[in-house]
Amino acid sequence: MLRTAIRSHANLSLQTAQISKRFMSAPAPKNIDHIKRVGVIGSGQMGLGIAYVAANVSRLPVTLMDISKEQTDKGLKFMDRLLEKDVAKEKITAEHAKGTRELVTAANSLSALSDVDIVIEAASENLNVKSAIFRDLDAICKSDAILATNTSSISITKIAAATKKAEQVIGMHFMNPVPVMKLVEVIPGLATADNVLQDTLALAQTMGKTTTVAQDIPGFVANRLLMPYINEAVMLLEGGVASAKDIDTTMKLGTNMPMGPLTLADFIGLDTCLAIQKVLHENTGDSKYRPSVLLQKYVDAGWYGKKSGRGFYSYNK
Protein backbone atom coordinates (compact mmCIF):
# COMPACT_ATOMS: atom_id res chain seq x y z
CA MET A 1 0.00 0.00 0.00
CA LEU A 2 2.85 2.34 0.86
CA ARG A 3 4.53 1.55 -2.47
CA THR A 4 1.26 2.32 -4.31
CA ALA A 5 0.90 5.62 -2.46
CA ILE A 6 4.46 6.62 -3.28
CA ARG A 7 3.92 5.72 -6.95
CA SER A 8 0.68 7.74 -7.04
CA HIS A 9 2.39 10.75 -5.46
CA ALA A 10 5.23 10.48 -7.99
CA ASN A 11 2.76 10.35 -10.88
CA LEU A 12 0.91 13.40 -9.54
CA SER A 13 4.19 15.31 -9.18
CA LEU A 14 5.14 14.36 -12.75
CA GLN A 15 1.76 15.54 -14.07
CA THR A 16 2.12 18.85 -12.20
CA ALA A 17 5.61 19.32 -13.60
CA GLN A 18 4.38 18.58 -17.12
CA ILE A 19 1.56 21.14 -16.80
CA SER A 20 4.03 23.70 -15.47
CA LYS A 21 6.48 22.99 -18.32
CA ARG A 22 3.70 23.19 -20.93
CA PHE A 23 2.72 26.67 -19.78
CA MET A 24 6.13 28.10 -18.97
CA SER A 25 8.33 26.99 -21.86
CA ALA A 26 6.44 27.97 -25.02
CA PRO A 27 7.46 31.33 -26.54
CA ALA A 28 4.83 34.01 -27.08
CA PRO A 29 3.82 34.67 -30.72
CA LYS A 30 4.93 37.88 -32.39
CA ASN A 31 1.52 39.15 -33.45
CA ILE A 32 -2.13 39.18 -32.38
CA ASP A 33 -3.73 39.80 -35.76
CA HIS A 34 -6.91 37.97 -34.78
CA ILE A 35 -7.49 40.20 -31.73
CA LYS A 36 -9.30 43.18 -33.22
CA ARG A 37 -11.25 44.57 -30.25
CA VAL A 38 -10.75 44.55 -26.48
CA GLY A 39 -13.44 44.71 -23.82
CA VAL A 40 -12.68 45.95 -20.30
CA ILE A 41 -15.09 45.48 -17.40
CA GLY A 42 -14.79 48.10 -14.67
CA SER A 43 -13.86 51.74 -15.17
CA GLY A 44 -12.13 52.26 -11.86
CA GLN A 45 -8.42 52.81 -11.51
CA MET A 46 -7.40 49.37 -12.82
CA GLY A 47 -9.97 49.02 -15.60
CA LEU A 48 -9.38 52.53 -16.86
CA GLY A 49 -5.62 51.92 -16.88
CA ILE A 50 -6.01 48.70 -18.86
CA ALA A 51 -8.26 50.41 -21.40
CA TYR A 52 -5.76 53.25 -21.66
CA VAL A 53 -2.75 51.08 -22.52
CA ALA A 54 -4.78 48.88 -24.89
CA ALA A 55 -5.82 51.96 -26.89
CA ASN A 56 -2.76 54.18 -26.42
CA VAL A 57 -0.02 51.58 -26.88
CA SER A 58 -1.60 48.60 -28.68
CA ARG A 59 -3.81 50.92 -30.78
CA LEU A 60 -6.78 48.57 -30.40
CA PRO A 61 -10.43 49.63 -30.19
CA VAL A 62 -11.69 49.25 -26.61
CA THR A 63 -15.17 48.93 -25.17
CA LEU A 64 -15.00 50.16 -21.57
CA MET A 65 -17.95 48.70 -19.68
CA ASP A 66 -19.24 49.59 -16.23
CA ILE A 67 -22.81 49.27 -14.92
CA SER A 68 -22.55 52.86 -13.65
CA LYS A 69 -22.67 55.57 -16.31
CA GLU A 70 -21.39 58.03 -13.73
CA GLN A 71 -18.33 55.81 -13.27
CA THR A 72 -17.62 55.46 -17.00
CA ASP A 73 -17.98 59.24 -17.45
CA LYS A 74 -15.58 59.78 -14.57
CA GLY A 75 -13.14 57.23 -16.00
CA LEU A 76 -13.12 58.79 -19.46
CA LYS A 77 -12.48 62.24 -17.97
CA PHE A 78 -9.52 60.78 -16.12
CA MET A 79 -8.28 59.25 -19.39
CA ASP A 80 -8.50 62.69 -21.00
CA ARG A 81 -6.29 64.08 -18.23
CA LEU A 82 -3.76 61.26 -18.70
CA LEU A 83 -3.58 61.98 -22.41
CA GLU A 84 -3.19 65.72 -21.80
CA LYS A 85 -0.29 65.02 -19.44
CA ASP A 86 1.42 62.75 -21.96
CA VAL A 87 1.05 65.40 -24.67
CA ALA A 88 2.40 68.10 -22.33
CA LYS A 89 5.41 65.89 -21.54
CA GLU A 90 5.87 65.28 -25.28
CA LYS A 91 5.51 61.52 -24.80
CA ILE A 92 2.84 61.48 -27.52
CA THR A 93 1.53 63.95 -30.07
CA ALA A 94 -1.84 65.66 -29.87
CA GLU A 95 -2.87 63.68 -32.95
CA HIS A 96 -1.92 60.39 -31.25
CA ALA A 97 -3.88 61.40 -28.15
CA LYS A 98 -6.94 62.22 -30.23
CA GLY A 99 -6.68 58.85 -31.95
CA THR A 100 -6.39 57.07 -28.61
CA ARG A 101 -9.50 58.73 -27.25
CA GLU A 102 -11.47 57.86 -30.37
CA LEU A 103 -10.56 54.19 -29.92
CA VAL A 104 -12.34 54.01 -26.55
CA THR A 105 -16.11 53.79 -26.27
CA ALA A 106 -18.11 53.47 -23.05
CA ALA A 107 -20.93 51.02 -22.37
CA ASN A 108 -23.12 50.21 -19.40
CA SER A 109 -24.25 46.71 -20.32
CA LEU A 110 -22.36 43.46 -20.75
CA SER A 111 -24.20 42.91 -24.04
CA ALA A 112 -21.91 45.56 -25.57
CA LEU A 113 -19.09 43.00 -25.30
CA SER A 114 -20.65 40.49 -27.68
CA ASP A 115 -18.22 41.31 -30.51
CA VAL A 116 -14.92 41.65 -28.63
CA ASP A 117 -12.07 39.16 -29.05
CA ILE A 118 -10.88 39.41 -25.46
CA VAL A 119 -12.56 40.66 -22.30
CA ILE A 120 -10.42 41.77 -19.37
CA GLU A 121 -12.48 41.90 -16.17
CA ALA A 122 -11.33 44.35 -13.50
CA ALA A 123 -14.23 44.27 -11.04
CA SER A 124 -14.16 43.82 -7.25
CA GLU A 125 -11.80 41.24 -5.76
CA ASN A 126 -14.70 38.97 -4.84
CA LEU A 127 -15.25 35.45 -6.16
CA ASN A 128 -19.05 35.71 -6.19
CA VAL A 129 -18.96 38.96 -8.16
CA LYS A 130 -16.45 37.61 -10.67
CA SER A 131 -18.26 34.29 -11.07
CA ALA A 132 -21.53 36.09 -11.84
CA ILE A 133 -19.80 38.25 -14.46
CA PHE A 134 -18.12 35.27 -16.14
CA ARG A 135 -21.35 33.29 -16.14
CA ASP A 136 -22.95 36.13 -18.11
CA LEU A 137 -19.93 36.55 -20.39
CA ASP A 138 -20.11 32.86 -21.23
CA ALA A 139 -23.54 33.43 -22.78
CA ILE A 140 -22.81 36.84 -24.34
CA CYS A 141 -19.33 36.63 -25.85
CA LYS A 142 -18.18 34.86 -29.02
CA SER A 143 -17.28 31.19 -28.54
CA ASP A 144 -13.60 31.88 -29.23
CA ALA A 145 -13.33 35.07 -27.17
CA ILE A 146 -10.68 35.04 -24.44
CA LEU A 147 -12.15 35.70 -20.99
CA ALA A 148 -9.42 37.23 -18.84
CA THR A 149 -9.60 38.35 -15.23
CA ASN A 150 -7.39 40.93 -13.56
CA THR A 151 -7.77 39.17 -10.21
CA SER A 152 -4.77 39.58 -7.96
CA SER A 153 -5.35 36.50 -5.80
CA ILE A 154 -8.49 34.47 -6.64
CA SER A 155 -8.17 31.07 -8.31
CA ILE A 156 -8.52 31.24 -12.10
CA THR A 157 -9.85 27.69 -12.07
CA LYS A 158 -12.64 28.68 -9.67
CA ILE A 159 -13.62 31.64 -11.85
CA ALA A 160 -13.50 29.48 -14.97
CA ALA A 161 -15.87 26.97 -13.33
CA ALA A 162 -18.68 29.54 -13.72
CA THR A 163 -18.41 29.14 -17.51
CA LYS A 164 -18.85 26.31 -20.01
CA LYS A 165 -15.55 27.14 -21.72
CA ALA A 166 -12.91 26.99 -19.01
CA GLU A 167 -10.27 26.58 -21.73
CA GLN A 168 -10.87 30.23 -22.73
CA VAL A 169 -10.40 31.65 -19.22
CA ILE A 170 -7.07 33.07 -17.99
CA GLY A 171 -5.63 35.47 -15.42
CA MET A 172 -4.09 38.71 -16.63
CA HIS A 173 -2.86 40.48 -13.49
CA PHE A 174 -1.81 44.06 -14.23
CA MET A 175 0.05 46.10 -11.62
CA ASN A 176 -1.16 49.44 -10.30
CA PRO A 177 -0.90 52.06 -11.79
CA VAL A 178 -1.29 50.23 -15.09
CA PRO A 179 0.13 52.95 -17.42
CA VAL A 180 3.34 53.08 -15.38
CA MET A 181 4.03 49.56 -14.09
CA LYS A 182 5.78 47.31 -16.58
CA LEU A 183 4.65 43.86 -15.42
CA VAL A 184 1.68 41.69 -16.31
CA GLU A 185 1.47 38.42 -14.40
CA VAL A 186 -0.29 35.84 -16.60
CA ILE A 187 -1.96 32.88 -14.87
CA PRO A 188 -3.45 29.94 -16.77
CA GLY A 189 -6.12 27.92 -14.99
CA LEU A 190 -6.20 24.14 -14.90
CA ALA A 191 -8.05 23.92 -18.24
CA THR A 192 -6.67 26.99 -20.04
CA ALA A 193 -5.75 26.23 -23.65
CA ASP A 194 -2.18 26.78 -24.86
CA ASN A 195 -3.25 29.17 -27.63
CA VAL A 196 -5.14 31.30 -25.09
CA LEU A 197 -2.01 31.60 -22.96
CA GLN A 198 0.11 32.54 -25.98
CA ASP A 199 -2.38 35.12 -27.26
CA THR A 200 -2.67 36.67 -23.80
CA LEU A 201 1.10 36.94 -23.46
CA ALA A 202 1.35 38.49 -26.91
CA LEU A 203 -1.41 41.02 -26.19
CA ALA A 204 0.28 42.11 -22.95
CA GLN A 205 3.55 42.55 -24.82
CA THR A 206 1.90 44.77 -27.46
CA MET A 207 0.81 46.92 -24.51
CA GLY A 208 4.48 47.46 -23.75
CA LYS A 209 4.48 45.10 -20.78
CA THR A 210 6.93 42.50 -19.61
CA THR A 211 5.15 39.23 -18.85
CA THR A 212 5.69 36.47 -16.33
CA VAL A 213 3.73 33.21 -16.02
CA ALA A 214 2.60 31.87 -12.65
CA GLN A 215 0.70 28.78 -11.65
CA ASP A 216 -2.83 29.06 -10.29
CA ILE A 217 -2.13 29.24 -6.56
CA PRO A 218 -3.58 31.78 -4.08
CA GLY A 219 -1.90 35.16 -4.63
CA PHE A 220 0.19 33.83 -7.54
CA VAL A 221 3.73 35.27 -7.23
CA ALA A 222 3.40 39.04 -6.74
CA ASN A 223 0.86 39.07 -3.92
CA ARG A 224 2.05 35.82 -2.36
CA LEU A 225 5.23 37.76 -1.58
CA LEU A 226 3.93 41.33 -1.24
CA MET A 227 0.92 40.96 1.05
CA PRO A 228 2.68 39.20 3.95
CA TYR A 229 5.29 41.98 3.78
CA ILE A 230 2.63 44.69 4.02
CA ASN A 231 0.69 42.77 6.67
CA GLU A 232 3.80 42.42 8.85
CA ALA A 233 4.36 46.18 8.63
CA VAL A 234 0.76 46.76 9.79
CA MET A 235 1.34 44.36 12.69
CA LEU A 236 4.44 46.31 13.71
CA LEU A 237 2.35 49.49 13.73
CA GLU A 238 -0.43 47.72 15.62
CA GLY A 239 2.07 46.52 18.23
CA GLY A 240 3.53 49.99 18.74
CA VAL A 241 6.97 48.92 17.59
CA ALA A 242 7.40 52.10 15.50
CA SER A 243 5.37 54.85 13.88
CA ALA A 244 4.07 54.51 10.32
CA LYS A 245 6.63 57.05 9.15
CA ASP A 246 9.52 55.27 10.85
CA ILE A 247 8.49 51.86 9.50
CA ASP A 248 8.36 53.26 5.97
CA THR A 249 11.61 55.21 6.34
CA THR A 250 13.38 52.09 7.62
CA MET A 251 12.36 50.10 4.55
CA LYS A 252 13.08 52.93 2.09
CA LEU A 253 16.49 53.90 3.38
CA GLY A 254 17.48 50.60 4.97
CA THR A 255 16.54 48.24 2.14
CA ASN A 256 16.30 50.65 -0.82
CA MET A 257 12.57 50.17 -1.41
CA PRO A 258 11.05 52.90 -3.62
CA MET A 259 8.32 53.45 -1.01
CA GLY A 260 7.52 52.07 2.42
CA PRO A 261 5.05 49.21 2.93
CA LEU A 262 2.38 51.36 4.60
CA THR A 263 2.53 54.05 1.91
CA LEU A 264 2.29 51.28 -0.68
CA ALA A 265 -0.73 49.79 1.09
CA ASP A 266 -2.45 53.19 1.02
CA PHE A 267 -1.84 53.43 -2.73
CA ILE A 268 -3.10 49.90 -3.40
CA GLY A 269 -6.14 50.40 -1.17
CA LEU A 270 -6.45 48.88 2.29
CA ASP A 271 -9.73 47.21 1.31
CA THR A 272 -7.93 45.50 -1.58
CA CYS A 273 -5.04 44.47 0.67
CA LEU A 274 -7.49 43.00 3.18
CA ALA A 275 -9.42 41.11 0.50
CA ILE A 276 -6.20 39.55 -0.84
CA GLN A 277 -5.01 38.64 2.66
CA LYS A 278 -8.31 36.90 3.34
CA VAL A 279 -8.03 34.90 0.10
CA LEU A 280 -4.50 33.83 1.02
CA HIS A 281 -5.51 32.90 4.57
CA GLU A 282 -8.71 31.05 3.66
CA ASN A 283 -7.27 29.17 0.69
CA THR A 284 -3.98 28.09 2.22
CA GLY A 285 -5.14 27.62 5.81
CA ASP A 286 -1.74 28.97 6.87
CA SER A 287 -1.83 31.30 9.90
CA LYS A 288 1.08 33.34 8.52
CA TYR A 289 -1.40 34.92 6.10
CA ARG A 290 -3.86 36.00 8.80
CA PRO A 291 -4.79 39.67 8.23
CA SER A 292 -3.83 42.00 11.04
CA VAL A 293 -6.58 43.26 13.34
CA LEU A 294 -5.59 46.87 12.62
CA LEU A 295 -5.95 46.40 8.86
CA GLN A 296 -9.49 45.09 9.36
CA LYS A 297 -10.26 47.98 11.70
CA TYR A 298 -9.13 50.61 9.18
CA VAL A 299 -11.26 49.04 6.45
CA ASP A 300 -14.26 48.90 8.81
CA ALA A 301 -13.79 52.62 9.41
CA GLY A 302 -13.76 53.34 5.67
CA TRP A 303 -10.09 54.33 5.79
CA TYR A 304 -9.06 52.72 2.50
CA GLY A 305 -5.97 54.81 1.85
CA LYS A 306 -5.32 57.43 -0.80
CA LYS A 307 -8.60 56.87 -2.67
CA SER A 308 -10.69 57.66 0.43
CA GLY A 309 -8.46 60.47 1.71
CA ARG A 310 -7.26 58.57 4.73
CA GLY A 311 -5.38 55.37 5.48
CA PHE A 312 -2.15 55.04 7.39
CA TYR A 313 -1.60 58.64 6.24
CA SER A 314 -3.96 61.54 5.55
CA TYR A 315 -4.51 62.66 1.95
CA ASN A 316 -7.30 65.20 2.49
CA LYS A 317 -5.28 68.04 1.01
Side-chain angles (χ1 to χ4, degrees):
M1 184 178 294
L2 177 60
R3 185 177 298 172
T4 302
I6 292 172
R7 189 181 299 116
S8 298
H9 178 73
N11 288 338
L12 179 61
S13 298
L14 177 60
Q15 290 169 4
T16 302
Q18 288 171 339
I19 291 171
S20 175
K21 184 178 180 181
R22 175 166 69 92
F23 282 135
M24 295 187 183
S25 60
K30 298 298 183 183
N31 65 71
I32 49 165
D33 289 343
H34 55 288
I35 295 181
K36 305 295 185 185
R37 176 173 286 274
V38 176
V40 178
I41 298 175
S43 57
Q45 191 171 19
M46 293 302 295
L48 192 282
I50 294 167
Y52 180 81
V53 295
N56 192 47
V57 183
S58 298
R59 309 307 285 168
L60 289 169
V62 179
T63 301
L64 179 63
M65 183 271 155
D66 196 297
I67 56 172
S68 167
K69 185 177 185 305
E70 179 183 358
Q71 188 62 43
T72 51
D73 289 345
K74 182 179 177 181
L76 291 176
K77 286 180 180 177
F78 182 61
M79 181 178 288
D80 289 338
R81 291 199 296 273
L82 288 178
L83 290 168
E84 288 170 5
K85 285 184 179 180
D86 281 352
V87 171
K89 294 178 180 178
E90 298 184 347
K91 291 182 178 179
I92 58 175
T93 65
E95 183 180 2
H96 183 98
K98 183 176 181 291
T100 296
R101 186 62 184 81
E102 290 173 349
L103 284 169
V104 182
T105 56
N108 303 114
S109 170
L110 285 175
S111 61
L113 304 175
S114 61
D115 64 338
V116 302
D117 300 299
I118 182 171
V119 178
I120 305 171
E121 168 271 320
S124 307
E125 191 69 357
N126 180 292
L127 177 60
N128 292 332
V129 171
K130 292 182 186 297
S131 294
I133 291 172
F134 275 73
R135 194 174 299 115
D136 290 340
L137 290 175
D138 190 36
I140 291 168
C141 293
K142 299 185 297 185
S143 60
D144 61 346
I146 297 173
L147 307 181
T149 173
N150 183 53
T151 181
S152 53
S153 60
I154 298 172
S155 166
I156 308 305
T157 303
K158 283 184 179 180
I159 294 172
T163 77
K164 295 178 182 177
K165 45 192 173 206
E167 68 280 0
Q168 296 296 115
V169 180
I170 194 165
M172 198 176 187
H173 180 208
F174 289 81
M175 306 295 144
N176 187 25
V178 178
V180 176
M181 301 298 282
K182 294 295 184 183
L183 183 72
V184 173
E185 194 175 24
V186 178
I187 311 98
L190 186 63
T192 303
D194 288 350
N195 67 295
V196 170
L197 172 63
Q198 300 309 315
D199 287 347
T200 303
L201 289 169
L203 175 62
Q205 289 162 13
T206 69
M207 293 177 174
K209 305 302 183 184
T210 298
T211 55
T212 58
V213 178
Q215 291 198 48
D216 189 15
I217 62 168
F220 319 127
V221 173
N223 283 318
R224 192 67 173 261
L225 293 169
L226 177 62
M227 288 304 152
Y229 162 66
I230 288 175
N231 197 52
E232 189 64 28
V234 181
M235 287 183 171
L236 289 174
L237 181 66
E238 181 182 320
V241 174
S243 68
K245 182 179 179 182
D246 284 349
I247 291 169
D248 280 354
T249 299
T250 298
M251 296 310 295
K252 283 196 299 180
L253 302 185
T255 64
N256 206 30
M257 294 290 188
M259 68 175 67
L262 300 178
T263 299
L264 179 58
D266 274 357
F267 274 79
I268 293 171
L270 304 192
D271 53 337
T272 300
C273 291
L274 179 62
I276 296 170
Q277 280 292 143
K278 285 183 174 179
V279 169
L280 289 172
H281 188 221
E282 290 168 6
N283 285 273
T284 64
D286 194 327
S287 61
K288 72 181 180 181
Y289 297 116
R290 178 182 61 82
S292 78
V293 174
L294 185 61
L295 181 60
Q296 179 71 66
K297 190 178 293 185
Y298 272 46
V299 172
D300 290 344
W303 296 358
Y304 300 147
K306 192 173 188 296
K307 63 185 175 183
S308 68
R310 182 166 184 175
F312 295 112
Y313 300 93
S314 176
Y315 303 90
N316 290 327
K317 293 182 180 179

